[in-house]
Amino acid sequence: MRPVEAGRRRWHPGFLFTPRLALPLTLAAGLLLPSNAAWSTFFYILGLPTIGWQLWRGARPDAANRPLLAMLALWAWSSLTIAWDRNISGQGDGHGYWLLNALCTLAFLLCFDFATRQDASARRRAVSAFILCAVPTALLSIALFAVQDHWTGRLGGWGALKTPVWGASVIVICVLLTLGRVAEAGPRRWLYATALVPMLVYLPLNGSRTALLSLAMGVMMLGLSSWRAFRALVIAGLCALAALAGVVLMRPVWVKAVIGNFLARGTDCHITIWRTAWGLFLAQPVIGYGPSARLPILPHGACPAYPSPHNLYLSLLVYSGLVGFALYGLCQILLCRHVLRRQRGFQRALALALLAVPLVSGLSDLTQVIKGPSPLWYIIWLPMLLALRAGPESPGTSPASAASPPRG
């Protein structure tokens, strides 16, 4: 190779495809772009080439990290189920669709792994991008809800918040991460506390009961570890209630919408869906049916046509059988042990609270772990990835630890 003159760096297109740039942009794009289709296109353009370039340069996953290996094993088994995928209802997506989803999910996992090993500050920048973009997305979602003609439905929103239950879980994760910033001693903590207000307005309008339950559990865990974070949440909650009350005075019909979201929905046909999913699991318990399996339920009453299991645990059992369920459990056990060994106090409570969000929110509406780009990246994978890098980052981490020198 021709030597580079001192003080000058040769530019080449590979500088654009760095994980520490792709990771925050990917997290931001899911919130700011209007649809999953737009987010997917963005990731095809940036995320996939970034990981392809890194693999070409010699980057490999951290083989010494057991939680990461368990996560990759969960991904691998869930992807392998495509080989015997059974579209039992005739309404699911094809193998090519799920292969592309699996490839993108792997690229997302590797992007986080490579970025956080190449750059000690990459994890923090990714969280900052997530919080920074969640605030305007929540405000835009509330605004779109306010201008609609009828308030009989649930607050959906924009980007990753468009699907109501998934959107609520995404906001809960962002609330917990924002509380993590509030707990840090620094001049910006009240700016982060202010950022909590639109998120706390969003959640009651959305009406997801499991998301609110996961938030209550997380806040309880954090409040016991940090009085500053608990106080900030109380103040932000009071401000959110005042803002919500002001909006309701202008739009009294919202009161009926909010009450209906919490009480009038009943079980939303979940009992029928869960019984059907459990019966399918018992018929093929070990390896599952593959990711395109939809439940053979025809529309009736509140029941949609050919639904997914609407439950993270049943989804794991139906799509990937006992093997996939066990691998997911192994991920949680290894990550919890990792956090308990490396963290103390508030940071430990924050990591465990993040891990609890999909476990609680997943009681009602989560699906395939290999679907993506989708809000499931934020809800299922992001808490695990953040817990994976919980603990003090090594400031001397070298890019060579994640990738060998570029081929000359």
Side-chain angles (χ1 to χ4, degrees), residues 301-313:
C303 283
Y306 308 106
S308 68
H310 277 64
N311 180 288
L312 175 61
Y313 307 102

Side-chain angles (χ1 to χ4, degrees), residues 123 338-339 342-343 347 351 385-393:
R123 182 185 186 275
H338 176 76
V339 169
R342 298 194 62 183
Q343 287 285 22
Q347 293 302 322
L385 291 167
L386 292 173
L388 180 73
R389 292 289 177 248
E393 298 289 348

